[in-house]
Amino acid sequence: MKFTLSWLYDHLETQATLEEICVKLNQIGLEVESVENRGAAIEPFRTARILEANRHPDADRLQVCRVDAGPGFENVQVVCGAPNARTGLAVIFAPPGTYVPGLDITIKAGKIRGEASGGMLCSLRELGLGEESDGIAELPEDTFPGQSYADFAGLDDVVIDIAITPNRGDALGVRGIARDLAAAGLGTLRPWLAEAVEGTFASPVIWENTHTKACPWILGRTIRGVKNGPSPEWLRTKLESIGLRSISTLVDITNYFCFDLGRPLHVFDASKIAGGRLIVCQGAGETFRALDGEDYIVTPEDCVMTDANGVQSLAGIMGGEASGATEETTDVFVECALFDPVSIALSARRVGLASDSSYRFERGVDQALPVAALEAATRMIIDLCGGEASEVVSAGEQPAWQRDATLAFNRVRDLGGLDVPAQESVALLEKLGFEVQDRTDDAVRVSVPSWRNDIAQKPVLAQAAKLESAQAAKAAEGVAHCEAESDLVEEILRLKGLDSVPAVPLPAVSVVPGTALTPKQIRTARARRILAARGLVETVGFSFVSHEDAVRFGGAPESLRLLNPIASDLDQMRPTPLVNLVSATQRNSVRGWADIGLFEVGPAFSEAGQQLVAAGVRSGHTPRYPEQESKPVSLWAAKADALELLTQLGLSPDALSTTADAPAWYHPGRSGVVRQGPKNVLAYFGELHPSLLQAAGIDVPVVGFEVFMDSVPEPKRRKKSAPKLSSFQPVRRDFAFVIARDVPGENLLKAVRGADRNLVAGVTLFDVYEGPHVPEGYRSVGVEVVLQPTDKSLTDADLEAVSERIVAAVTKATGAALR
């Protein structure tokens, strides 16, 4: 919110300096973002008059001028090259030592072609104020020499820009800011009373309101016989000083009240309203051209104003080009309305159009001001443009904005940490416009002024559906009371000065601080560390991918298609992070870095919802080492990555099983699914399907895995006892079994583990062989069994016995035979 000091003085009578005003604004919560003194840079420049101008004796294009620039410079000789320099002309003079911003030079006294020159006569371009370049600036004939040009041009008015929090719609008007400063003790608020204008005829334009939810109350009146044109200088200067462009007197008047009182208005050209009726209603898909020259499509969610020809205004946001006031306008219809803040905010975002009006309506305007604002605007239009006003017409009703709030005096100390006497608290609230309704020794009940829409408003609660109605009503009543009381405490603290509120730490909940991360966040961070420790490099990808890529990974439902993607190739929510990892692999591969391992722990999306997935890929070949051949990456590496992650997250390998029904983006014969029980799918792993790699432009082997973090159960919390460590050496024995090819290897491993649970401490598959000396349709599977005795060393007989039990268990479970 920008305003000038002179504009502030229209509403605030004060002797405070600029610095004091800025300090007080910060103290009461209206944070000063910038202070711009446009006149500071041109303060040294003076108004002057050329007493005499003669041609330079040694230069045809130069003139030697005698200049009167006021005290100290009554008769200064200046050499000037401007073609319009002439005797009697009022000009702008720069004394020696003046910095000229438009030329980036500092003026020095000296000689030009042999003639003394004690300054410079300037153009507006040289002052950095315009594009004039044909000669020096020409000031009015009655200009008095010696005056500061900044003061002469009205450029010494400081512009202050403050930040407005969303709840302070009242501070979006200069009067609201002046009210706060006056309440804080920095002057007196000047009285403001709108002079009523009596209507002399019935308005030829009337209202009809069929959308009272978005527009509860709307007023208007016709003013005929006006003469529109350029605004007077005082009005144009006020608007231009805060960055607004002067358009015409009628439009400038509405902009003036928008910033002066925080009250948006709009003027229609009455002659362009067809049918003599403006209807406030919902949009119906019409195309509407606004005053900014752009076309917008309005929907039933938008509030519009229509006449017999169609939409004439997007209500509360911007008027239409077809009915806007121009220099030819002679009859205007002035609109002043109240709009629902939420409806305006949603419409402005839906159509992508924001304006000074919508910015104020979204934050709430003074609900009791429309009548007075319409009268004040009418008076100014008649004063500046002439004309005759009609009677006021309206539709809808003024909403019941009256609200009360109660403050217990000790709450200022308890909530704000500042001990403010009861009488002072009441006085501060009264300065802000609150009126005392009832008071006791301990508390006060006040009525809230109409311009403070943020105080004592009914809160919106998301209460549990199963909550009893009586309990819910009691809770809502308590919340409303607490919210309103807290609002009053905040007002008192603001006026006392936010910098005076002591910094008091919140009481500690416990001696030992609680955890900063949830169990899910801890597991996610741990998963990243585990995969990084296995040599994979973490990546972070978009949750959006191309529709074509998502189809290859089996997940491209239309319900997850983006209607407004940030890029054409990012129009689908990704079904798995593998999509991004495969793309990253392709980009690295074509740049000569094919042997890489990548992972990401991130979201995946399906019609069932969102889930967290830890995915990884390995591509190319394994590293080359002495006496070790480099080989293509295998599915066993991907399986090892997935199993290691699951194990480290607390799952026992004995509780896991593997099936061969991996989804279609994996190789059908070289992939698998890790399960816990028949239904809980924990992970996929394997080689990626050749057709997928071909479509992605990858010509090296790629294996991958996906671990579904949300499906991994939390480890059971058990009281840990000291581990029982055996004092005897473990014994390792290798077995090779010939087993049918269609029998899962896991069945064999489970049979080995179950052969003797007291001795068998671990089973590892280390070899799979098919070829000579193994029957067709069979394979040889080699496993290493770790036997851990606990009470005695194993004898040869003991080893023979446990070996026989292992072979028997495997044969019974799988039909395999010892090789």
Side-chain angles (χ1 to χ4, degrees):
M1 170 65 188
K2 288 185 177 182
F3 60 94
T4 63
L5 271 183
S6 63
W7 203 336
L8 180 67
Y9 294 153
D10 290 346
H11 295 280
L12 182 68
E13 185 176 348
T14 182
Q15 299 298 321
T17 64
L18 172 63
E19 183 179 358
E20 291 172 336
I21 291 174
C22 292
V23 169
K24 186 61 69 175
L25 286 171
N26 285 323
Q27 289 176 343
I28 63 178
L30 302 178
E31 182 182 358
V32 176
E33 292 195 319
S34 67
V35 176
E36 180 187 3
N37 187 355
R38 299 181 301 158
I42 59 174
E43 185 67 29
F45 293 88
R46 296 171 167 231
T47 58
R49 185 174 302 280
I50 300 177
L51 302 177
E52 185 180 6
N54 298 308
R55 197 180 73 176
H56 193 290
D58 295 327
D60 293 339
R61 296 186 179 182
L62 297 180
Q63 296 189 72
V64 179
C65 304
R66 285 194 307 109
V67 177
D68 177 10
F73 300 93
E74 291 87 351
N75 191 358
V76 181
Q77 180 169 300
V78 178
V79 177
C80 178
N84 62 330
R86 61 186 181 273
T87 301
L89 180 65
V91 294
I92 302 172
F93 172 71
T98 301
Y99 173 74
V100 182
L103 299 178
D104 192 23
I105 62 172
T106 299
I107 299 300
K108 296 180 181 179
K111 289 186 177 182
I112 300 177
R113 302 291 291 269
E115 294 291 333
S117 183
M120 178 179 177
L121 304 183
C122 304
S123 68
L124 293 180
R125 181 184 62 82
E126 290 163 341
L127 269 65
L129 299 177
E131 298 299 325
E132 177 188 341
S133 58
D134 293 337
I136 57 177
E138 299 187 13
L139 303 183
E141 293 183 1
D142 58 352
T143 301
F144 186 77
Q147 184 180 2
S148 168
Y149 180 73
D151 181 52
F152 170 83
L155 298 176
D156 57 343
D157 202 359
V158 177
V159 179
I160 303 174
D161 188 8
I162 61 173
I164 302 297
T165 53
N167 66 314
R168 292 300 309 276
D170 63 300
L172 289 172
V174 179
R175 184 164 183 81
I177 299 169
R179 183 188 297 114
D180 262 18
L181 288 172
L186 210 67
T188 304
L189 185 66
R190 298 182 188 274
W192 182 86
L193 182 64
E195 181 183 352
V197 178
E198 185 177 353
T200 59
F201 62 95
S203 175
V205 180
I206 61 174
W207 288 115
E208 181 179 337
N209 191 352
T210 64
H211 196 9
T212 55
K213 179 180 179 181
C215 178
W217 192 33
I218 189 165
L219 309 171
R221 75 190 315 172
T222 301
I223 305 175
R224 65 190 182 190
V226 300
K227 184 177 181 181
N228 196 16
S231 295
E233 184 178 354
W234 70 266
L235 178 56
R236 187 171 62 252
T237 301
K238 277 188 182 295
L239 298 179
E240 291 177 349
S241 65
I242 60 173
L244 293 181
R245 180 172 60 91
S246 177
I247 299 174
S248 67
T249 305
L250 289 172
V251 177
D252 289 354
I253 288 173
T254 64
N255 287 334
Y256 170 79
F257 282 104
C258 185
F259 283 84
D260 187 63
L261 301 178
R263 159 39 63 182
L265 301 166
H266 182 63
V267 288
F268 296 90
D269 188 325
S271 65
K272 298 178 182 178
I273 298 176
R277 182 186 300 269
L278 280 172
I279 304 173
V280 181
C281 59
Q282 295 173 284
E286 303 100 325
T287 298
F288 152 75
R289 175 160 294 183
L291 287 170
D292 62 358
E294 299 292 332
D295 291 334
Y296 301 94
I297 299 176
V298 295
T299 69
E301 286 76 29
D302 301 315
C303 180
V304 298
M305 298 177 186
T306 66
D307 65 358
N309 290 333
V311 177
Q312 299 299 328
S313 174
L314 184 55
I317 302 175
M318 188 172 287
E321 187 179 80
S323 58
T326 65
E327 291 188 0
E328 289 75 32
T329 298
T330 57
D331 298 339
V332 295
F333 184 71
V334 187
E335 168 236 311
C336 183
L338 291 178
F339 296 104
D340 175 63
V342 175
S343 298
I344 294 296
L346 293 177
S347 285
R349 284 153 182 74
R350 186 178 300 112
V351 301
L353 177 60
S355 65
D356 291 326
S357 295
S358 66
Y359 190 78
R360 284 156 177 78
F361 282 124
E362 289 172 14
R363 286 153 180 80
V365 297
D366 188 341
Q367 299 185 74
L369 187 62
V371 172
L374 182 59
E375 296 289 355
T378 302
R379 172 56 61 192
M380 185 175 288
I381 290 174
I382 292 175
D383 289 345
L384 299 183
C385 301
E388 180 184 8
S390 75
E391 298 172 348
V392 175
V393 294
S394 66
E397 297 180 355
Q398 182 179 15
W401 56 265
Q402 294 80 1
R403 306 179 304 281
D404 288 347
T406 300
L407 170 68
F409 296 125
N410 61 355
R411 297 294 283 170
V412 180
R413 179 192 67 248
D414 296 342
L415 290 179
L418 200 61
D419 197 359
V420 182
Q423 186 61 36
E424 185 179 359
S425 295
V426 173
L428 291 174
L429 292 176
E430 287 179 327
K431 289 180 179 179
L432 283 173
F434 294 86
E435 295 183 3
V436 176
Q437 301 296 316
D438 186 27
R439 179 179 175 181
T440 64
D441 292 339
D442 301 324
V444 64
R445 180 169 60 86
V446 297
S447 62
V448 181
S450 59
W451 53 80
R452 289 307 299 269
N453 295 283
D454 58 317
I455 295 178
Q457 285 284 12
K458 184 178 180 180
V460 179
L461 298 179
Q463 295 180 314
K466 297 181 180 180
L467 194 64
E468 295 181 1
S469 57
Q471 188 177 5
K474 185 176 181 180
E477 182 181 353
V479 170
H481 172 79
C482 293
E483 289 279 354
E485 188 173 52
S486 299
D487 291 338
L488 296 183
V489 170
E490 181 182 356
E491 294 306 297
I492 295 170
L493 295 177
R494 280 198 317 111
L495 296 187
K496 290 292 291 182
L498 295 178
D499 55 344
S500 65
V501 178
V504 179
L506 293 173
V509 178
S510 64
V511 178
V512 179
T515 56
L517 300 177
T518 64
K520 182 177 180 180
Q521 290 172 324
I522 294 173
R523 295 178 67 187
T524 301
R526 187 177 181 189
R528 291 191 174 99
R529 291 196 300 270
I530 293 168
L531 295 176
R534 292 187 62 81
L536 301 176
V537 177
E538 184 177 10
T539 67
V540 179
F542 277 125
S543 292
F544 315 129
V545 297
S546 71
H547 180 76
E548 293 74 17
D549 287 344
V551 168
R552 298 188 187 103
F553 286 85
E558 285 299 317
S559 60
L560 296 178
R561 194 85 175 262
L562 300 182
L563 297 178
N564 186 25
I566 60 176
S568 60
D569 58 344
L570 298 174
D571 61 345
Q572 185 81 36
M573 302 300 290
R574 70 180 183 187
T576 169
L578 274 184
V579 183
N580 306 76
L581 296 176
V582 169
S583 296
T585 300
Q586 187 271 340
R587 290 193 296 271
N588 281 274
S589 178
V590 297
R591 288 165 175 79
W593 199 262
D595 302 338
I596 58 172
L598 306 173
F599 81 91
E600 179 181 352
V601 181
F605 303 88
S606 66
E607 290 186 303
Q610 176 180 331
Q611 62 177 331
L612 186 66
V613 177
V617 295
R618 293 182 184 271
S619 68
H621 295 74
T622 60
R624 293 189 296 175
Y625 295 105
E627 298 184 2
Q628 183 173 337
E629 182 183 357
S630 177
K631 298 179 181 180
V633 292
S634 70
L635 67 95
W636 305 113
K639 182 179 182 181
D641 290 331
L643 290 179
E644 179 67 14
L645 179 54
L646 293 172
T647 302
Q648 293 286 347
L649 292 178
L651 290 177
S652 171
D654 296 342
L656 305 179
S657 61
T658 304
T659 58
D661 54 340
W665 53 91
Y666 288 97
H667 193 295
R670 302 174 186 173
S671 59
V673 179
V674 180
R675 300 174 182 270
Q676 185 184 38
K679 294 183 178 180
N680 189 17
V681 175
L682 299 177
Y684 301 146
F685 69 90
E687 294 184 13
L688 297 188
H689 201 283
S691 63
L692 185 148
L693 298 180
Q694 183 179 7
I698 301 175
D699 57 0
V700 295
V702 180
V703 298
F705 65 89
E706 299 163 81
V707 176
F708 307 107
M709 301 290 292
D710 296 335
S711 299
V712 179
E714 291 283 348
K716 295 182 179 179
R717 298 182 178 273
R718 297 176 179 174
K719 186 176 180 180
K720 294 184 179 180
S721 58
K724 295 181 180 179
L725 301 178
S726 176
S727 58
F728 300 97
Q729 287 279 63
V731 179
R732 288 175 169 80
R733 288 288 183 268
D734 293 344
F735 295 84
F737 295 95
V738 177
I739 186 172
R741 184 184 298 167
D742 59 352
V743 177
E746 283 197 355
N747 294 357
L748 187 150
L749 299 178
K750 288 182 179 180
V752 174
R753 293 190 191 100
D756 192 329
R757 296 192 179 275
N758 292 326
L759 282 178
V760 177
V763 183
T764 305
L765 186 150
F766 67 86
D767 182 58
V768 176
Y769 171 74
E770 295 182 26
H773 308 297
V774 176
E776 183 70 25
Y778 287 81
R779 55 185 174 179
S780 173
V781 177
V783 296
E784 179 190 58
V785 181
V786 179
L787 304 173
Q788 178 63 65
T790 57
D791 53 359
K792 66 173 185 176
S793 296
L794 296 177
T795 65
D796 289 344
D798 294 332
L799 292 174
E800 187 64 27
V802 72
S803 297
E804 290 177 357
R805 290 196 295 273
I806 290 173
V807 173
V810 171
T811 301
K812 181 180 179 180
T814 65
L818 187 66
R819 183 178 176 187

